[in-house]
Amino acid sequence: MKRLLLALAFSIGAASAQNEVSLSSAFGSGEGVNGEVLAAAIQADGKIVIGGRFSAVNGIARSNIARLNDDGTVDRTFAELSAQGVNGQVNALAIQPQGGVIVGGSFTQAGQVERLNLARYDADGSADPTFGGAEAAGSGANGIVYALAVQPDGKIVVGGNFDAIFSQPRRGIARLNADGTLDSPVTAENALSGAVRAVAISESFFVAGGEFTLSTQSSRNLLKIPARQAPSENPAPPAF
């Protein structure tokens, strides 16, 4: 019994030591963020994009969006000046395969680009004026964006409390092509009533959750849509 207790004590002590090493590592050893972080996404190269409501990271001016190196230091090449950040709250982030950063929230400008609540930063840290197409200037989602996800085929799923994206009817949820132009609707125009606050993606479908009802199903606050639904003027009803 004594041997067993000693072995357990050694095991617990070793685990505690490992946790101490992890928590006292170099990451986050600076001043930190001077406001709320509401979203985070990890790039393929290990860099970390954060968004929320803040004006500085580790004492370096950053307006509601920043990119960190894998050791927690600020990547000075991304949205380098405060004016290159977002002029409102960032609620959601998603990384595209080629490195573009999709940003959703409650704002009217990303960098020097006018966009309502939905924008993209290129991998070099500059806001993309072409996102959404040639007619997208000054447009975006006409309500708050709460959730973003990128499908395996590169299409972007957007969830929030809106009824139009780039001036086209989309209520609560929308799917965009990789360049930000609108894909076919994923629900009928007036099917969803309320706000989508979370989106999760798989190879064959995506799931959205929030505070809403759907005219095509009796259950509330959750829907499931095929990831590769064929274009149609009358989208198929959700799977549940």
Side-chain angles (χ1 to χ4, degrees), residues 99-237:
V101 180
I102 311 301
V103 184
S106 178
F107 53 83
T108 60
Q109 191 161 316
Q112 303 302 311
V113 179
E114 292 185 11
R115 286 291 185 276
L116 292 177
N117 307 322
L118 183 63
R120 179 172 68 186
Y121 281 81
D122 290 326
D124 65 2
S126 61
D128 179 6
T130 71
F131 185 68
E135 305 300 319
S139 185
N142 72 341
I144 299 173
V145 172
Y146 292 114
L148 292 167
V150 177
Q151 294 184 173
D153 61 3
K155 291 186 177 182
I156 305 157
V157 180
V158 184
N161 190 9
F162 51 79
D163 56 29
I165 288 188
F166 299 131
S167 302
Q168 297 298 313
R170 297 290 190 277
R171 180 170 288 187
I173 192 162
R175 185 160 49 198
L176 312 180
N177 298 308
D179 62 359
T181 56
L182 282 164
D183 190 27
S184 58
V186 295
T187 65
E189 181 180 338
N190 296 311
L192 187 147
S193 178
V196 170
R197 295 181 178 272
V199 177
I201 298 288
S202 80
E203 288 286 342
S204 57
F205 64 88
F206 69 83
V207 173
E211 302 166 286
F212 56 81
T213 59
L214 279 167
S215 62
T216 52
Q217 66 180 39
S218 58
S219 58
R220 300 164 56 92
N221 303 328
L222 190 65
L223 65 88
K224 179 181 177 183
I225 298 286
R228 293 178 177 84
Q229 182 169 295
S232 171
E233 293 183 1
N234 298 298

Side-chain angles (χ1 to χ4, degrees), residues 31-38 50-58 62 64 89:
E31 298 175 27
V33 182
N34 73 340
E36 289 184 279
V37 176
L38 301 172
I50 61 171
R53 189 171 56 222
F54 52 82
S55 60
V57 179
N58 290 340
R62 287 294 184 272
N64 302 315
Q89 182 169 300

Side-chain angles (χ1 to χ4, degrees), residues 11-139:
S11 176
I12 293 170
S16 298
Q18 288 177 354
N19 286 337
E20 286 181 13
V21 170
S22 175
L23 292 173
S24 63
S25 65
F27 185 81
S29 59
E31 298 175 27
V33 182
N34 73 340
E36 289 184 279
V37 176
L38 301 172
I42 301 174
Q43 297 183 169
D45 61 3
K47 291 186 177 183
I48 304 155
V49 183
I50 61 171
R53 189 171 56 222
F54 52 82
S55 60
V57 179
N58 290 340
I60 299 170
R62 287 294 184 272
S63 182
N64 302 315
I65 189 168
R67 186 164 65 191
L68 311 179
N69 299 308
D70 60 4
D71 62 357
T73 57
V74 176
D75 178 358
R76 293 178 179 269
T77 68
F78 187 92
E80 183 177 3
L81 306 174
S82 289
Q84 295 174 340
V86 178
N87 73 342
Q89 182 169 300
V90 173
N91 296 323
L93 295 165
I95 307 297
Q96 294 183 293
Q98 73 275 26
V101 180
I102 311 301
V103 184
S106 178
F107 53 83
T108 60
Q109 191 161 316
Q112 303 302 311
V113 179
E114 292 185 11
R115 286 291 185 276
L116 292 177
N117 307 322
L118 183 63
R120 179 172 68 186
Y121 281 81
D122 290 326
D124 65 2
S126 61
D128 179 6
T130 71
F131 185 68
E135 305 300 319
S139 185

